[in-house]
Amino acid sequence: MSENSQFRFPGATGVGSLPGADTREAAKTATGSFEDFPFLPELPARGPGADMIGRTAGMLVELYARVEPSGWRIGDRPGRDTRRARSWLREDLDALEEFTQDYQGDLKVQAVGPWTLAAALELKNGEAALSDPGACRDLAASLAEGLRLHLDEVRRRVPGARLVLQLDEPSLTAVLRGQVRTASGYRTHRAVDRQIVEAALRDVVGAHGGGPVVVHSCAPDVPFALLRRAGAAAVSFDFALLTERDDEAIGEAVEGGTRLFAGVVPGTDTPLSDPAGSVMGVRTLWRRLGLRPGLLAEAVTVTPACGLAGASPAYARQVLAHCVRAARSLADNPE
């Protein structure tokens, strides 16, 4: 078993984003839906700085970003957009602290990983930081230091929590395959060597000081093996995007002690099946891989397929409660 096998996660949690702009209501939903695995919610509907890229850009140390018509661009000094991102994060932490008084247990916080950040943040020339290996290294180092400070702040506010860090990497597969488009849109940036990708991820994972890190991607072809080697204790993904090509990598991950955060509940408003039906595909996968049914509850955490920013508030609450019931179904009836 890998060193990741020391970590045991509860059966269900959210991905990160929620609809609306009410910070206290979001914190109440994220903490009230999951008694043993709440998360720090993100509310991108508030605007630039509350979106996933702007929020994480606000955490960077000695690197700053501002909003341009084309997106977020690295600048020389902290400006209005950086201050707004940091202010909203403080508001979110204030609300989280209010609803986690005396909490003991797992608590998940999210940030964008180094490669999705490099694909999204622009340099002064308008090209993605991904185009410059030196900029990628600087960005990863700044992110790692910013995450250390952020995690220290969350620990101060919720001292009884075991923090779980989630790195959002939806662009990771595109980075590895050379599919990230240049500013002109006519070409793509060169694929980044897998060893360089893995090394940068390992450095950022290390910012948690040995604590559990989940890497999340709601894109197809998640590189399970690379993420395991980089030190991820768990991999979070959209279950509907799996194909049988992923079977071997998933089987090896489970047997190596890596937890699966299986996104099985749709993230936008749609009629939901019964909880057992939502995890039927997970049971089918288990049988196909020949894995022991009793391992299911130990190895799988149930989540929405992706963030819930595009859902209605009522549906978002319904989905989070549904994840808890689906996880209970897996634990009670693993066969």
Side-chain angles (χ1 to χ4, degrees):
M1 299 286 271
S2 78
E3 62 182 19
N4 290 334
S5 61
Q6 66 184 288
F7 300 117
R8 290 287 177 260
F9 299 97
T13 190
V15 170
S17 64
L18 290 176
D22 187 327
T23 304
R24 291 186 73 257
E25 184 62 30
K28 182 179 178 182
T29 297
T31 56
S33 300
F34 303 104
E35 292 181 358
D36 53 2
F37 204 178
F39 62 98
L40 175 63
E42 303 162 356
L43 298 174
R46 290 180 294 192
D51 60 298
M52 60 187 285
I53 299 299
R55 184 182 183 89
T56 301
M59 297 180 191
L60 297 176
V61 172
E62 296 182 359
L63 280 179
Y64 312 101
R66 64 179 185 272
V67 178
E68 297 285 345
S70 53
W72 284 90
R73 181 170 296 182
I74 296 172
D76 297 324
R77 59 185 64 86
R80 178 184 59 191
D81 298 320
T82 297
R83 289 192 293 272
R84 185 193 301 120
R86 292 175 176 175
S87 174
W88 273 331
L89 181 56
R90 281 194 300 272
E91 280 184 27
D92 294 339
L93 289 171
D94 288 345
L96 180 74
E97 185 177 1
E98 177 184 349
F99 287 99
T100 52
Q101 294 296 309
D102 303 317
Y103 176 71
Q104 304 276 334
D106 290 288
L107 171 65
K108 185 165 69 68
V109 298
Q110 305 82 220
V112 175
W115 294 107
T116 296
L117 205 58
L121 286 182
E122 299 174 355
L123 301 173
K124 291 177 183 177
N125 64 5
E127 287 294 350
L130 189 65
S131 64
D132 182 335
C136 290
R137 287 192 295 271
D138 291 347
L139 198 54
S142 175
L143 175 62
E145 184 58 29
L147 286 174
R148 286 188 192 97
L149 296 173
H150 177 54
L151 291 166
D152 285 347
E153 173 70 4
V154 181
R155 284 189 196 98
R156 185 184 67 77
R157 290 170 175 266
V158 194
R162 178 183 79 156
L163 296 188
V164 178
L165 172 62
Q166 176 179 303
L167 296 175
D168 292 318
E169 282 283 15
S171 299
L172 182 59
T173 300
V175 167
L176 289 166
R177 292 184 172 178
Q179 295 172 336
V180 177
R181 294 206 166 274
T182 59
S184 69
Y186 295 120
R187 296 184 300 108
T188 56
H189 293 288
R190 184 178 303 173
V192 181
D193 182 87
R194 297 180 80 86
Q195 290 183 324
I196 294 173
V197 169
E198 184 182 324
L201 276 168
R202 189 181 299 112
D203 288 345
V204 176
V205 166
H208 197 5
V213 176
V214 184
V215 179
H216 167 73
S217 174
C218 47
D221 300 316
V222 176
F224 288 91
L226 184 152
L227 297 177
R228 290 174 56 219
R229 291 194 302 270
V235 180
S236 173
F237 54 95
D238 181 343
F239 192 85
L241 297 179
L242 290 183
T243 70
E244 292 194 16
R245 292 196 312 272
D246 298 306
D247 281 7
E248 183 178 354
I250 291 174
E252 289 176 355
V254 172
E255 290 176 348
T258 303
R259 182 86 176 195
L260 305 180
F261 280 41
V264 297
V265 187
T268 52
D269 293 44
T270 190
L272 296 177
S273 70
D274 65 290
S278 292
V279 289
M280 187 182 303
V282 180
R283 292 191 180 94
T284 301
L285 171 67
W286 232 244
R287 286 193 293 271
R288 196 165 72 232
L289 296 177
L291 294 168
R292 180 168 56 86
L295 190 61
L296 261 175
E298 294 178 23
V300 176
T301 293
V302 176
T303 73
C306 207
L308 296 169
S312 67
Y315 180 77
R317 289 190 294 272
Q318 182 185 4
V319 163
L320 299 183
H322 190 86
C323 287
V324 173
R325 290 193 293 270
R328 193 172 300 130
S329 170
L330 265 189
D332 293 346
N333 303 292
E335 304 279 357

